[in-house]
């Protein structure tokens, strides 16, 4: 009787705990709905008071065109902000694909202050969307986790402060996957975000809400973050341009923030913030605006290196290393074709193309990346779920992370890409040393070939729902450059063809293992969806990376 009553009590307590969690989730959804309703009313009010506003024209302009018209006064910041806030785009997009989780209501007050400023910043009047975990005063940074729902931030993050100082107007926050350690975009609080180009597909992640909103036309510029490809993968899946800068070039994000743990993260894998937009010029303008005196004043850890316009606008022929596959995950047919076509375009334009192969890629993914990002065996990540419910899209990963250490040690021998074991302090030092040695080896190979930049694949096309959590190791094409801490950007160059889909039927992968089979299933049914390439430069050479991206964009289109 005592055992039965104890068991019943445990079941009851668990049920009450889950009920409380679900109540918090429902409250968060109600808060979001009220915020979006407030945004809709504000946009409707402006439309009624200004019936002549050319909303369709405003939404059709590139960011560079928009900046010019705002500065010359032919468009007002109000008309631009309310056009993007309006039902035509932002609201329709979020109801269709579920990408916006909050309205930054202070944007209307900021708009009034902006009108009184004498100097117009580089992003004067540009509405900007912000990824969930980037702090905005008066708003929650949930990380898709219930435990953080009540924590309203008291001040803007540095990057938001700098954007505002340059005249930009952050107006919405966007959805992310739970904990942001998945490149899908789903959490149990706000639900699954869909790809606006094909609702059966994922928008990518973890900056998936940004990707979906910008691709759907509801934002012209967004700020994401990237620790394994979280800017570049949504850009690839949604047909956008995205840049992962060198760590600390803008503002470094330790992965402890991504995992919501107060301890300082070991810097074996570097995460950082970066811009996402519809074209490369928008990324360059955003970087130019961010690399300013205000950034260097607010965050003295950011090197005071202004944007080098001369490098970005140079037309000097480039010496470009390239590879069609990394030797770890066989590229999908469209990924491979994108590199082949872009290589030919670049050669025809007078650039020199040199074959390149990343050294020891298995070692990078299995040891340097996986063990670097989960140096504690994912213990802190697992701790985050106490008092929370695991999203179904994350369960495959989570179940692996919470295995006992002994079981992990055994499985790590067989399943290196999937299982990481806890490292001692000495192992941690060795890990840092190994990353430094590998970076030196990679740069030496780069220098020997006298390369300026590298052209390589980025994972794509967009995955079917539910596969990202089962294919974490497929981020090898992007996470390599987090380990190296090189700037890397993504540019769409083509779309999936019928021939690509036919060739995919014969895809076997390098090993013919379950992960190769899953990759084939993940990218099936992508006819007409974007295909991108990745452009890479050496550390601190964001301007050269962007210049290369611009060249690829121009030739491809």
């Amino acid at each position: 009787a005592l055992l039965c009553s104890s068991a019943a009590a445990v079941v009851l307590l668990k049920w009450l705990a889950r009920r409380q969690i679900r109540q918090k989730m429902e409250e968060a959804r109600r808060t979001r709905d009220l915020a979006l309703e407030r945004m809709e009313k504000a946009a409707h009010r402006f439309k009624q008071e200004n019936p002549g506003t050319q909303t369709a024209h405003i939404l059709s302009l590139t960011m560079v065109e928009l900046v010019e018209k705002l500065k010359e006064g032919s468009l007002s910041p109000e008309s631009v902000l309310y056009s993007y806030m309006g039902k035509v785009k932002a609201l329709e997009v979020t109801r269709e694909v579920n990408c916006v989780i909050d309205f930054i209501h202070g944007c209307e007050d900021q708009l009034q202050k902006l009108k009184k400023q004498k100097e117009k910043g580089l992003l004067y009047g540009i509405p900007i969307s912000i990824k969930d975990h980037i702090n905005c005063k008066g708003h929650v940074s949930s990380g898709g986790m219930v435990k953080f729902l009540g924590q309203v931030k008291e001040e803007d993050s540095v990057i938001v402060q700098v954007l505002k100082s340059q005249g930009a107007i952050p107006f919405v926050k966007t959805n992310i996957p739970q904990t942001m350690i998945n490149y899908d975009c789903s959490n149990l609080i706000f639900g699954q975000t869909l790809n606006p180009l094909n609702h059966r597909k994922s928008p990518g992640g973890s900056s998936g809400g940004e990707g979906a909103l910008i691709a759907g036309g509801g934002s012209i510029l967004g700020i994401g973050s990237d620790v394994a490809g979280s800017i570049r993968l949504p850009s690839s899946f949604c047909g956008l341009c995205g840049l992962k800068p060198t760590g600390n070039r803008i503002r470094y994000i330790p992965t402890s923030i991504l995992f919501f743990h107060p301890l300082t993260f070991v810097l074996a894998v570097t995460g950082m913030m970066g811009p996402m937009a519809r074209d490369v010029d928008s990324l360059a303008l955003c970087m130019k605006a961010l690399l300013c005196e205000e950034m260097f004043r607010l965050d003295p850890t950011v090197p005071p290196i202004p944007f080098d316009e001369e490098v970005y606008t140079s037309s000097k022929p480039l010496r470009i290393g390239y590879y069609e596959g990394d030797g770890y995950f066989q590229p999908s047919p469209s990924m491979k074709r994108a590199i082949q076509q872009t290589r030919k375009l670049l050669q025809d334009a007078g650039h020199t193309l040199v074959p390149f192969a990343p050294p020891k890629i298995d070692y990078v993914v299995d040891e340097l990346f996986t063990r670097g990002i989960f140096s504690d065996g994912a213990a802190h990540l697992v701790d985050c779920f106490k008092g929370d419910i695991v999203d179904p899209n994350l369960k495959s990963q989570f179940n692996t992370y919470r295995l006992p250490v002994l079981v992990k040690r055994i499985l790590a021998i067989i399943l290196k890409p999937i299982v990481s074991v806890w490292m001692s302090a000495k192992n941690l030092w060795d890990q840092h040393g190994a990353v430094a040695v590998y970076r030196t080896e990679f740069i030496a190979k780069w220098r020997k070939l006298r390369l300026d930049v590298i052209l390589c694949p980025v994972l794509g096309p967009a995955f079917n729902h539910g596969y990202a959590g089962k294919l974490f190791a497929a981020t090898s094409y992007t996470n390599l450059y987090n380990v190296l801490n090189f700037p890397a950007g993504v540019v769409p160059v083509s779309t999936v063809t019928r021939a690509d889909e036919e060739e995919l039927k014969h895809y076997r992968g390098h090993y013919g293992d379950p992960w190769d089979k899953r990759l084939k299933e993940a990218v099936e049914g992508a006819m007409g969806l974007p295909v991108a390439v990745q452009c890479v430069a050496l550390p601190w050479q964001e301007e050269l990376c962007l210049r290369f991206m611009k060249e690829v964009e121009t030739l491809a289109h």
Side-chain angles (χ1 to χ4, degrees):
L2 183 62
L3 285 171
C4 287
S5 60
S6 297
V10 169
V11 171
L12 178 62
L13 286 172
K14 283 188 175 181
W15 180 81
L16 288 171
R18 290 179 76 88
R19 184 184 177 192
Q20 189 177 28
I21 290 169
R22 295 195 181 282
Q23 285 175 340
K24 288 181 180 179
M25 290 179 178
E26 288 170 9
E27 185 180 343
R29 286 191 285 268
R30 283 195 297 271
T31 301
R32 174 199 59 187
D33 292 343
L34 288 171
L36 295 184
E37 188 179 323
R38 179 175 177 178
M39 180 167 69
E40 184 174 15
K41 286 179 179 177
H44 182 67
R45 183 178 64 249
F46 178 81
K47 188 176 180 180
Q48 283 188 319
E49 294 170 358
N50 302 270
T53 303
Q54 296 179 319
T55 301
H57 173 64
I58 290 169
L59 297 173
S60 71
L61 296 172
T62 67
M63 195 173 97
V64 172
E65 291 169 340
L66 206 52
V67 165
E68 289 175 358
K69 290 185 180 297
L70 282 162
K71 284 191 175 178
E72 72 186 20
S74 60
L75 283 177
S76 68
E78 295 101 323
S79 64
V80 175
L81 176 62
Y82 289 109
S83 290
Y84 272 96
M85 277 169 52
K87 189 177 179 180
V88 175
K89 286 292 180 182
L91 290 176
E92 279 189 0
V93 165
T94 196
R95 284 174 182 162
E96 188 179 321
V97 302
N98 189 37
C99 54
V100 174
I101 59 165
D102 201 2
F103 168 49
I104 303 174
H105 48 78
C107 67
E108 293 187 274
D109 293 332
Q110 189 198 341
L111 183 64
Q112 299 309 315
K113 291 177 185 175
L114 193 65
K115 289 163 64 179
K116 296 174 185 176
Q117 289 179 3
K118 291 182 180 179
E119 288 189 20
K120 296 179 179 179
L122 291 175
L123 298 176
Y124 175 75
I126 296 294
I128 291 185
S129 48
I130 303 289
K131 188 176 179 178
D132 167 278
H133 75 103
I134 300 171
N135 293 349
C136 293
K137 184 179 179 179
H139 296 267
V140 170
S141 299
S142 74
M145 306 288 287
V146 169
K147 65 192 293 182
F148 300 106
L149 286 176
Q151 300 180 17
V152 178
K153 301 303 174 183
E154 295 181 0
E155 63 178 7
D156 289 329
S157 59
V158 167
I159 197 166
V160 171
Q161 291 180 56
V162 176
L163 288 167
K164 286 182 175 180
S165 75
Q166 288 282 19
I169 307 174
F171 76 115
V172 289
K173 296 192 83 175
T174 55
N175 203 23
I176 55 169
Q178 190 177 39
T179 73
M180 294 182 290
I181 199 64
N182 188 338
Y183 59 102
D184 201 342
C185 191
S186 171
N187 62 75
L188 291 174
I189 303 167
F190 301 113
Q192 173 77 54
T193 298
L194 309 178
N195 190 316
L197 307 178
N198 182 333
H199 292 183
R200 295 189 300 276
K201 296 286 185 175
S202 167
S206 61
S207 309
E210 285 299 317
L213 184 64
I214 299 168
S219 176
I220 199 165
L221 177 67
I223 303 296
S225 60
D226 191 311
V227 78
S230 293
I231 286 171
R232 290 162 288 163
L233 294 173
S235 297
S236 170
F237 285 15
C238 294
L240 303 174
C241 298
L243 175 70
K244 176 204 79 68
T246 310
N248 251 41
R249 182 75 200 263
I250 293 180
R251 172 67 169 164
Y252 173 68
I253 309 178
T255 303
S256 55
I257 293 175
L258 303 184
F259 292 172
F260 302 102
H261 196 276
L263 297 179
T264 303
F265 176 62
V266 293
L267 307 178
V269 178
T270 310
M272 64 289 293
M273 294 192 211
M276 298 169 65
R278 300 174 204 164
D279 55 63
V280 178
D281 279 338
S282 299
L283 303 181
L285 182 57
C286 182
M287 289 295 292
K288 187 177 180 180
L290 288 170
L291 298 173
C292 64
E293 288 302 321
E294 184 70 357
M295 172 68 85
F296 309 143
R297 182 185 70 80
L298 289 171
D299 188 354
T301 67
V302 172
I305 310 171
F307 189 83
D308 193 332
E309 189 73 27
E310 187 177 341
V311 173
Y312 178 60
T313 55
S314 170
S315 57
K316 177 186 171 185
L318 297 170
R319 188 172 172 87
I320 304 163
Y322 74 92
Y323 55 94
E324 296 175 3
D326 63 3
Y328 191 81
F329 258 96
Q330 183 180 330
S332 66
S334 58
M335 287 167 66
K336 185 176 180 180
R337 179 177 56 80
I339 295 296
Q340 291 171 341
Q341 290 182 351
T342 305
R343 181 193 70 196
K344 186 176 187 309
L345 289 170
L346 288 164
Q347 281 177 328
D348 292 346
H351 301 285
T352 302
L353 276 292
V354 181
F356 181 88
K360 301 186 293 192
I361 191 69
D362 290 40
Y363 167 72
V364 174
V365 179
D366 300 346
E367 300 292 333
L368 302 186
F369 176 74
T370 307
R371 290 169 70 90
I373 200 170
F374 297 126
S375 55
D376 64 346
H380 293 324
L381 179 62
V382 172
D383 284 345
C384 281
F385 284 94
K386 290 177 180 175
D388 216 317
I389 304 172
V390 181
D391 184 271
N393 286 319
L394 196 63
K395 272 193 174 177
S396 176
Q397 283 175 258
F398 180 76
N399 289 336
T400 303
Y401 300 150
R402 67 176 182 176
L403 290 170
V405 174
L406 181 61
V407 177
K408 282 184 181 178
R409 289 188 185 279
I410 295 169
L411 290 178
I413 300 168
I414 309 165
L415 303 172
K416 282 185 177 180
I418 307 303
V419 181
S420 176
V421 297
W422 178 85
M423 290 193 284
S424 66
K426 181 185 181 302
N427 294 148
L428 221 49
W429 280 111
D430 292 343
Q431 179 81 6
H432 283 277
V435 169
V437 168
Y438 180 78
R439 187 181 295 121
T440 301
E441 181 183 343
F442 195 100
I443 291 173
K445 187 170 184 177
W446 183 301
R447 294 293 195 205
K448 186 177 180 180
L449 294 172
R450 296 178 290 112
L451 304 179
D452 295 310
V453 290
I454 281 178
L455 171 73
C456 58
V458 61
L459 189 62
F463 277 20
N464 293 313
H465 291 295
Y467 279 91
K470 301 170 185 174
L471 282 165
F472 191 60
T475 62
S476 61
Y477 287 98
T478 46
N479 70 45
L480 168 64
Y481 296 107
N482 291 91
V483 172
L484 289 168
N485 194 17
F486 286 12
V490 162
V491 183
V493 295
S494 184
T495 56
V496 178
T497 64
R498 194 173 301 281
D500 293 331
E501 289 283 287
E502 282 298 315
E503 192 177 338
L504 183 65
K505 293 176 182 178
H506 307 290
Y507 180 94
R508 293 291 178 271
H510 288 306
Y511 306 103
D513 59 19
W515 292 282
D516 283 332
K517 184 181 178 183
R518 282 177 190 163
L519 186 68
K520 177 184 176 182
E521 294 169 356
V523 299
E524 284 175 338
M527 180 78 171
L529 290 182
V531 182
V533 295
Q534 187 172 205
C535 304
V536 184
L538 290 173
W540 310 107
Q541 294 186 8
E542 280 70 20
E543 295 89 342
L544 181 58
C545 184
L546 286 163
R547 181 258 152 123
F548 180 35
M549 291 169 68
K550 178 67 178 176
E551 183 80 1
V552 169
E553 178 186 57
T554 302
L555 293 171
H557 297 117

